[in-house]
Amino acid sequence: MGSNHRARRSGAALAGAALTAVLAAGCGIRTTSVPVDAGPAPSRVPCSMPAQDVTAQALQGIPMQIHLVCSSQLATVDRTVQVDEATTDRTRIARALLEELRRRPSDDERRAGFTTAVPEKLRIGAARVGDPRGTLRLGEQPEDLPTEALAQIVCTFAESTTLAPNGTVVLGGPGKYPARGYLCTAETKARPQTATPLTAPTDAGTGQGQGQGTGASTETDTDAGAGAGTGD
């Protein structure tokens, strides 16, 4: 009697399980024995920084954007530079931007994946007499810099109407090699490891160092020579 009762209970349980499976199939629900992994909790989006308070930025300096390396691409971050908002001194603006490019990314920027390839000791000076209009002289030959570093500099400078009014960044080095014009393209931002495109020599302009004269040229040679050597 007890055995028959237990058999009937087991049979009823099996029938109930079978009925549940049939109903589930009829409702379009597929059963699975594999546990579902919903994945980790959402985290900060890489290569993205929270928006900064514009008022707070204004108290610290002039808000500007620079290009850093993140996920093998160039991405912009907001920085404040200590320069007079009304200044049109190209060399001063370029130096302020280069200082930000050289500076080690903040803790928040590093956590978001940002790095910089620009050498800490790199310096910049003004054009020499005979240079194309708009030239800036680096402490190293542009082609000798890490490819990503040159891309960072070119794309950061290219977004300044003072430094690149026609979109071309004209750079030279400490030697007697002629300055050359560089472009920041979508390809440059997507693949900064590749060579930064050059413009034709005539595109860079043919001014005489923006009329800065021999005195400005001498100062530039000093700055560039220091940059090529030991820096500060």
Side-chain angles (χ1 to χ4, degrees):
M1 179 69 177
S3 297
N4 291 336
H5 181 66
R6 283 194 297 273
R8 285 196 297 271
R9 290 181 57 187
S10 298
L14 291 172
L19 179 60
T20 301
V22 171
L23 291 174
C27 294
I29 302 173
R30 301 183 63 181
T31 59
T32 177
S33 60
V34 180
V36 177
D37 184 3
S43 59
R44 175 182 294 172
V45 178
C47 305
S48 177
M49 295 293 297
Q52 297 187 18
D53 187 337
V54 176
T55 302
Q57 279 188 316
L59 295 175
Q60 299 171 16
I62 304 304
M64 290 189 178
Q65 286 190 327
I66 63 169
H67 283 79
L68 298 181
V69 180
C70 190
S71 296
S72 300
Q73 300 181 2
L74 294 187
T76 57
V77 297
D78 295 323
R79 292 282 178 82
T80 54
V81 298
Q82 299 300 317
V83 64
D84 185 355
E85 188 173 9
T87 186
T88 57
D89 186 331
R90 300 180 67 261
T91 307
R92 188 175 178 187
I93 295 172
R95 284 173 175 163
L97 289 172
L98 181 63
E99 182 178 352
E100 293 301 320
L101 288 169
R102 294 183 324 206
R103 187 158 60 88
R104 186 182 181 190
S106 66
D107 291 342
D108 286 341
E109 289 169 346
R110 289 198 301 273
R111 281 192 289 268
F114 289 98
T115 61
T116 184
V118 178
E120 292 184 3
K121 294 183 178 181
L122 184 64
R123 297 294 182 267
I124 198 165
R128 300 172 182 171
V129 173
D131 275 341
R133 183 178 294 108
T135 297
L136 294 164
R137 288 273 176 177
L138 297 172
E140 295 184 34
Q141 286 298 127
E143 59 269 23
D144 292 340
L145 291 171
T147 310
E148 290 179 330
L150 181 57
Q152 286 182 251
I153 294 169
V154 170
C155 287
T156 297
F157 288 3
E159 294 188 359
S160 168
T161 55
T162 301
L163 301 183
N166 63 351
T168 299
V169 179
V170 187
L171 299 174
K176 296 184 180 299
Y177 298 102
R180 308 168 81 182
Y182 296 85
L183 294 174
C184 177
T185 65
E187 178 73 10
T188 307
K189 295 180 180 181
R191 296 179 177 84
Q193 306 84 2
T194 60
T196 303
L198 290 162
T199 64
T202 53
D203 293 340
T206 55
Q208 297 293 315
Q210 289 196 315
Q212 295 185 49
T214 304
S217 176
T218 303
E219 179 184 354
T220 302
D221 291 346
T222 303
D223 288 343
T230 58
D232 292 335

